[in-house]
Amino acid sequence: MFEVKDLHVEVGGAEIIKGLTLRVPAGETHAIMGPNGAGKSTLAYALSGRDGYEVKSGSASLDGVDLLALEPEERAAAGLFLSFQYPVEIPGLSVIAFLKAALNAQRKAKGLDPMPAPELLKLMRSKAEALKIDQEMLKRPLNVGFSGGEKKRFEALQMAVLQPRFAILDETDSGLDIDALRIVSENVNALRAPDRGLLVITHYQRLLDYIKPDRVHVLARGRIVDSGGPELALTLEREGYDKYLKAAA
């Protein structure tokens, strides 16, 4: 359902992604692990269409749709979701208003009417309760004054409400204590489905103790240099990335 072929991405004139190829079938969860500077977040931003991340060549598709030909909001409407490593604060826009706008924009793109307000509030409150988010926090400006862990819970809330076809989780575990990690992971796992795919980007094995991947890929110097089953993550935790960095050099 999700495929990247020979992708090359530049940031500020420097090539960061250098011929990356990746395929995630429907129903599978894949993990990308790699050292700092490998290009993990660059890959996520380029796929989502962030300004400044210039795709020089290659392709990326979701359900056969050329993602790179779409604007960021069109990629979202097509079912692509990015959980940010560093979620931004949006003063003046409440969580409720944000989720309402996002969900109804996607419904409009699919030719559906806006979700009735009572139904929408019921949905938000139900998903927030599962993530142990206080209902009063739904009225606060998005991410303003939130702790790192709270921001990540709200990223998980967005994903739970929007129900994307394919979700990229960029270091979702950063800023989470062990209890929050377990709660967020349980809700991510609840989204796994035969018609949905997940790509988990992380440094550490601890997240993969909760979100069990079908495949693990090693990213070094802008390329996928190794792939394997879940046991590969354990090997990386034990041995590190040195041999991959030397090989990629």
Side-chain angles (χ1 to χ4, degrees):
M1 67 178 298
F2 182 79
E3 190 166 26
V4 178
K5 291 183 179 179
D6 195 25
L7 192 70
H8 292 256
V9 180
E10 289 187 359
V11 181
E15 187 178 42
I16 307 298
I17 299 297
K18 305 173 182 179
L20 186 145
T21 295
L22 176 70
R23 180 175 177 270
V24 183
E28 292 193 5
T29 295
H30 288 209
I32 287 183
M33 302 182 72
N36 288 325
K40 299 186 300 297
S41 290
T42 295
L43 173 64
Y45 291 149
L47 292 172
S48 64
R50 182 170 178 174
D51 286 344
Y53 293 76
E54 186 179 0
V55 175
K56 303 302 289 186
S57 63
S59 64
S61 63
L62 175 61
D63 293 326
V65 175
D66 180 6
L67 289 174
L68 303 182
L70 304 179
E71 294 297 318
E73 64 272 19
E74 293 173 323
R75 300 182 197 194
L80 184 68
F81 179 89
L82 173 61
S83 173
F84 290 99
Q85 181 179 359
Y86 303 109
V88 297
E89 298 183 1
I90 308 182
L93 181 65
S94 72
V95 173
I96 290 176
F98 174 82
L99 288 173
K100 177 183 177 182
L103 181 60
N104 284 331
Q106 294 207 1
R107 288 176 65 87
K108 182 179 179 181
K110 297 172 184 174
L112 301 173
D113 292 331
M115 183 176 287
E119 184 180 343
L120 183 62
L121 281 173
K122 183 178 179 180
L123 173 65
M124 289 185 201
R125 287 169 176 163
S126 170
K127 300 299 184 184
E129 183 178 356
L131 283 158
K132 304 293 191 291
I133 293 173
D134 189 286
Q135 301 292 326
E136 287 300 309
M137 291 192 73
L138 298 177
K139 302 175 184 177
R140 290 175 55 179
L142 183 66
N143 291 327
V144 176
F146 290 9
S147 69
E150 286 171 338
K151 290 179 179 180
K152 293 303 178 70
R153 289 196 196 206
F154 275 88
E155 293 286 288
L157 176 61
Q158 293 168 38
M159 186 163 53
V161 169
L162 296 175
Q163 295 283 307
R165 285 278 291 149
F166 191 84
I168 301 171
L169 311 180
D170 188 11
E171 300 200 25
T172 295
D173 51 326
S174 64
L176 295 179
D177 62 30
I178 197 66
D179 290 328
L181 176 63
R182 176 181 54 79
I183 292 167
V184 168
S185 297
E186 286 174 355
N187 282 268
V188 170
N189 283 328
L191 286 171
R192 297 173 81 152
D195 62 346
R196 181 176 291 123
L198 298 173
L199 182 62
V200 180
I201 296 172
T202 184
H203 278 296
Y204 305 113
Q205 163 64 30
R206 72 166 193 159
L207 178 63
L208 304 185
D209 287 336
Y210 294 93
I211 303 174
K212 304 287 187 183
D214 297 286
R215 296 282 291 169
V216 174
H217 308 279
V218 182
L219 180 60
R221 302 191 190 276
R223 296 185 181 91
I224 299 290
V225 294
D226 198 7
S227 297
E231 68 282 352
L232 179 56
L234 296 171
T235 301
L236 293 171
E237 187 83 359
R238 186 172 61 250
E239 299 179 1
Y241 298 103
D242 280 353
K243 71 175 182 179
Y244 294 109
L245 289 171
K246 290 174 182 176

